[in-house]
DNA sequence: GCGACGTTTCGGAAATGGCCGAAGTGTCGG
DNA sequence: CCGACACTTCGGCCATTTCCGAAACGTCGC
């Protein structure tokens, strides 16, 4: 990590650690405050790593421009980079960054009606770092709550005993809980403005849906496509109708 | 876009609602991405309203510069403004904005050691929108957890039955719960990197401490001073030693 | 080794945005 | 009605930043 910033001539002299509180806040915020960088961050929000080239085309800028942006975000601590052959893979440096971005998107979407044809697929279903969001994510969460399998308030979430059985029956592990991470966390959905399911359980549900072939990741995007099988299964298993 | 900002007063014609997702994210983020605006936002984070003049001096810029910044933040939906005589009071437009800022500060403080003489008072005790943060806030939360009065994980918080009795005894209402808001919410403290107590209960605890004269708001700042009475009471009531 | 490719650095043009002096609007107090 | 005050708008200066062409670097496939 240290040698990453050391190798370049583009060293930032003023180390972020000797800044005042508001200056550090501004440095971090300014990273997301540019349209090109914001586009990159949105793509990275699903937690996967992307190459500099993929990010440059996602942002709609030339490769050399993107390179500068990426350096800046690494320098600010938002991104980490891994060299792999002639590619460099960038990813968010921690889930905290994804949560921060989610918080910003909630505010960004708060005052306006989300209309925009380009966003329709995104609003329908997308991945959010390690769990599902959009109407699909909110819908699953809602059905689980309705069925009494989980409780989900803005104070936190919990799996009920009926939920434990339910998840065991369909093949999702809702019992082994790594202690260092929230297991069942509500997460405010910026497009639906209701809670969806995050934490370890949200992670496992999403991966289960991928493994079963119910959803498929759209290339170079956070959008997930719901397969015909998925459409049927979400109705059968969760009682969720997605055609509304 | 160029002529948009040029003509026609200071009204922004291009309404934020017709922006694409990442542009809106960038607009919101850019508000916090300037040192002057970041300073203002930090001051506003305790939820109180401040006049344009107070905010301009907090940011260290001239009144006319601040005016522009404030317009921009109102336009982006981060702030609301209320006219009162010849003053204009600005405040965060919603608790969601405070949460967003808190998330950004967590990331900003994540990679670095918080050292800086100016921040010592802030790290000791401050208000965070409607509850206490800093060593005081974290300490109170820790003592309440240790005593078994509340549980506090990253999934959420809860008041135990012993906690209900405890709060009743010292004079804090921990029973009537407005349904629309989290009652006992954990909130990651950026300076201590541990949880403190937010939500309705955090709100009531802070106001109780103010009313009892245990703490006092430092003028034009989020810093709170702990009075001699408070020092004694925090030890007697919570078993909290603040001189460490 | 060679060329193709992904990525970065350099350099300079252009746009953006912050900042303040000066002037304008609106409110309060006498 | 007047001046004092809080705040905003206007206009221009200046620093920062974004952007891309050109070129360099490192890796991969042949």
């Amino acid at each position: 990590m240290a040698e990453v910033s050391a190798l370049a001539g583009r060293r930032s002299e003023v180390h972020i650690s000797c800044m005042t509180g508001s200056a550090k806040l501004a440095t971090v915020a300014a990273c997301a405050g540019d349209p090109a960088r914001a586009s990159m961050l949105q793509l990275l929000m699903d937690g996967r790593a992307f190459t500099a080239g993929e990010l440059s085309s996602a942002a709609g800028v030339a490769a050399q421009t993107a390179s500068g942006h990426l350096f800046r975000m690494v320098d600010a601590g938002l991104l980490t980079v891994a060299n792999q052959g002639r590619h460099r893979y960038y990813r968010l440096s921690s889930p905290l960054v994804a949560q921060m971005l989610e918080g910003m998107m909630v505010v960004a979407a708060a005052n306006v009606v989300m209309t925009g044809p380009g966003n329709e697929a995104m609003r329908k279903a997308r991945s959010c770092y390690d769990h599902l969001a959009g109407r699909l994510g909110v819908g699953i969460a809602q059905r689980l709550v309705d069925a009494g399998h989980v409780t989900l308030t803005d104070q936190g979430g919990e799996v009920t005993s009926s939920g434990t059985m339910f998840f065991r029956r369909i093949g999702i592990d809702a019992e082994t809980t790594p202690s260092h991470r929230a297991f069942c966390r509500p997460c405010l959905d910026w497009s639906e403005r209701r809670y969806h399911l995050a934490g370890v359980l949200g992670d496992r549900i999403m991966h289960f849906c991928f493994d079963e072939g119910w959803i498929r990741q759209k290339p170079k995007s956070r959008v997930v496509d719901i397969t015909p099988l998925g459409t049927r299964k979400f109705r059968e298993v969760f009682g969720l109708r997605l055609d509304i």
Side-chain angles (χ1 to χ4, degrees), chain A:
Chain A
M1 182 107 83
E3 55 274 9
V4 164
S5 55
L7 62 82
R10 206 196 284 252
R11 274 295 279 264
S12 72
E13 340 269 293
V14 42
H15 237 357
I16 200 172
S17 52
C18 56
M19 287 176 162
T20 141
S22 62
K24 275 182 300 193
L25 174 63
T27 302
V28 168
C31 280
D34 173 82
R37 287 193 294 266
S39 301
M40 298 182 187
L41 287 169
Q42 278 203 309
L43 184 57
L44 290 163
M45 260 189 78
D46 69 359
R48 285 182 296 170
F50 289 86
T51 66
E54 289 170 328
L55 291 166
S56 84
S57 69
V61 294
Q64 60 271 40
T65 305
S67 178
H69 287 311
L70 291 167
F71 175 86
R72 184 169 169 170
M73 291 194 280
V74 170
D75 199 53
L78 267 62
L79 265 43
T80 56
V81 59
N83 295 9
Q84 198 162 308
R86 52 182 163 184
H87 295 279
R88 303 194 78 194
Y89 281 92
Y90 291 89
R91 67 166 70 239
L92 299 188
S93 63
S94 92
L96 258 46
V97 178
Q99 261 179 256
M100 173 190 82
L101 292 169
E102 193 69 20
M104 300 201 293
M105 294 191 67
V106 169
V107 171
N111 305 319
V112 292
V113 194
M114 285 298 297
T115 54
N119 293 71
E120 169 53 27
M122 184 87 96
R123 291 206 305 282
K124 186 174 185 191
R126 63 180 182 275
S127 57
C128 172
Y129 205 77
D130 56 7
H131 55 272
L132 289 169
R135 284 201 296 278
L136 177 61
V138 169
I140 290 176
Q142 188 62 49
R143 297 303 301 170
L144 287 172
V145 169
D146 290 349
H149 296 327
V150 303
T151 61
L152 212 59
T153 70
D154 42 4
Q155 297 177 60
E158 221 169 314
V159 182
T160 64
S161 54
S162 104
T164 307
M165 292 205 311
F166 170 77
F167 285 118
R168 189 187 304 153
R169 183 156 54 77
I170 66 173
I172 294 178
D173 175 15
E175 283 150 292
T176 60
T177 63
S179 63
H180 61 289
R181 229 186 111 196
F183 185 73
C184 175
R185 183 171 67 81
C187 175
L188 191 55
D189 193 287
W190 56 262
S191 62
E192 297 302 304
R193 306 185 63 179
R194 281 163 59 201
Y195 285 106
H196 57 240
L197 200 57
V200 175
L201 185 59
D203 187 333
R204 289 188 186 149
I205 289 175
M206 182 174 80
H207 282 100
F208 176 81
C209 295
F210 274 123
D211 293 344
E212 298 288 314
W214 297 0
I215 53 178
R216 207 171 300 139
Q217 187 85 48
K218 208 155 197 151
K220 310 201 174 179
S221 162
R222 302 169 52 200
V223 173
V224 301
D225 276 334
I226 302 167
T227 64
L229 172 66
T231 306
R232 201 173 66 240
K233 285 295 186 180
F234 283 125
R235 192 173 55 235
E236 286 175 18
V237 176
F238 293 104
L240 180 64
R241 296 196 35 221
L242 289 158
D243 48 352
I244 314 168

